[in-house]
Amino acid sequence: QVTLKESGPALVKPTQTLTLTCTFSGFSLGTSGMRVSWIRQPPGKALEWLARIDWDDDKFYTPSLKTRLTISKDNSKNQVVLTMTNMDPVDTATYYCARIHINNVFDYWGQGALVTVSS
Amino acid sequence: DIQMTQSPSSLSASIGDRVTITCRASQSISGHLHWYQQKPGKAPKILISVVSSLESGVPSRFSGSGSGTHFALTISSLQPEDFATYYCQQSYTPPYTFGQGTKLEIK
């Protein structure tokens, strides 16, 4: 049974760095072909893909946020971590992690973590 | 980036209606097109992958079609549980972009 769960602060101040952790079970990111992504959704708005990390530690970022994002993994803990620097109120959103399966489909999602950026 | 444009942005329909949502890519994405359903307060759920492959457990009233840059999601006979927001997504190349969503509401 595949599950993912996001954790991190619910509230961050502008200019601070956000660190989110995705803890998953039911698969290993050490297995060839496995990938995990982060996706966010501002309140009432559409989904926005942020980053991807692969089993071989390849990493991809959305170009508009590339300078602010870092994705990493800890296979021993079954965790993927996303950091986003210089947070701004426009970054207020629900942040999801999702497993990527064959054909790059997001087949399992976490429940999401709402992050509010406010002073 | 590949832009994904869905239409309509919102749609009112009745139980039993047949509805179609379209998705257009700004360049050819071959068959790398997927559809998700999202209900309020919940994470998206994969419905259809690679244009027309129904995911396990998804009712057969859902179907997908298209190729290249034009794609469609059809629900043949709307049921109460189908009222939700639907997103298309391309996985042809990163960044993996989503459409802006289509909110399907009860008429």
Side-chain angles (χ1 to χ4, degrees):
Chain A
Q1 179 191 1
V2 173
T3 64
L4 303 96
K5 187 173 183 179
E6 306 86 352
S7 58
L11 179 66
V12 297
K13 297 184 188 308
T15 75
Q16 285 186 336
T17 294
L18 170 67
T19 299
L20 290 170
T21 300
C22 174
T23 303
F24 56 87
S25 64
F27 68 98
S28 170
L29 247 186
T31 300
S32 178
M34 283 298 170
R35 300 168 172 172
V36 169
S37 264
W38 285 93
I39 299 131
R40 71 177 179 179
Q41 185 173 38
K45 296 190 177 181
L47 300 161
E48 178 184 22
W49 178 80
L50 300 176
R52 179 187 115 190
I53 190 164
D54 297 353
W55 78 99
D56 58 1
D57 214 34
D58 261 354
K59 300 165 186 175
F60 299 83
Y61 299 98
T62 192
S64 61
L65 295 171
K66 185 173 183 176
T67 60
R68 298 174 53 205
L69 293 173
T70 303
I71 192 170
S72 62
K73 64 183 175 73
D74 185 333
N75 288 345
S76 66
K77 294 182 179 179
N78 280 349
Q79 290 181 334
V80 171
V81 175
L82 182 76
T83 62
M84 181 180 292
T85 61
N86 194 25
M87 292 292 284
D88 183 271
V90 300
D91 296 313
T92 293
T94 297
Y95 287 76
Y96 296 99
C97 61
R99 188 182 81 161
I100 301 175
H101 203 224
I102 53 174
N103 296 310
N104 288 321
V105 175
F106 303 121
D107 64 343
Y108 287 93
W109 295 64
Q111 64 191 23
L114 175 61
V115 178
T116 300
V117 185
S118 175
S119 54
Chain B
D1 298 6
I2 298 175
Q3 307 304 315
M4 306 300 292
T5 304
Q6 281 181 240
S7 63
S9 296
S10 62
L11 175 59
S12 292
S14 301
I15 303 297
D17 282 355
R18 177 184 179 91
V19 300
T20 296
I21 299 167
T22 63
C23 179
R24 178 169 51 87
S26 59
Q27 66 182 73
S28 178
I29 56 172
S30 188
H32 300 271
L33 188 283
H34 320 299
W35 291 97
Y36 299 83
Q37 177 193 65
Q38 187 179 33
K39 296 185 177 179
K42 300 294 186 181
K45 168 191 168 185
I46 180 69
L47 288 180
I48 292 174
S49 61
V50 288
V51 180
S52 60
S53 181
L54 215 60
E55 293 294 309
S56 175
V58 175
S60 59
R61 61 181 179 272
F62 290 90
S63 63
S65 62
S67 65
T69 60
H70 286 77
F71 303 89
L73 170 70
T74 299
I75 310 172
S76 61
S77 178
L78 276 174
Q79 299 302 301
E81 60 268 28
D82 300 338
F83 291 93
T85 300
Y86 293 86
Y87 293 94
C88 61
Q89 176 241 331
Q90 66 83 17
S91 65
Y92 182 71
T93 185
Y96 299 132
T97 39
F98 292 86
Q100 80 277 20
T102 296
K103 187 173 184 179
L104 182 52
E105 298 175 306
I106 301 174
K107 186 184 288 184

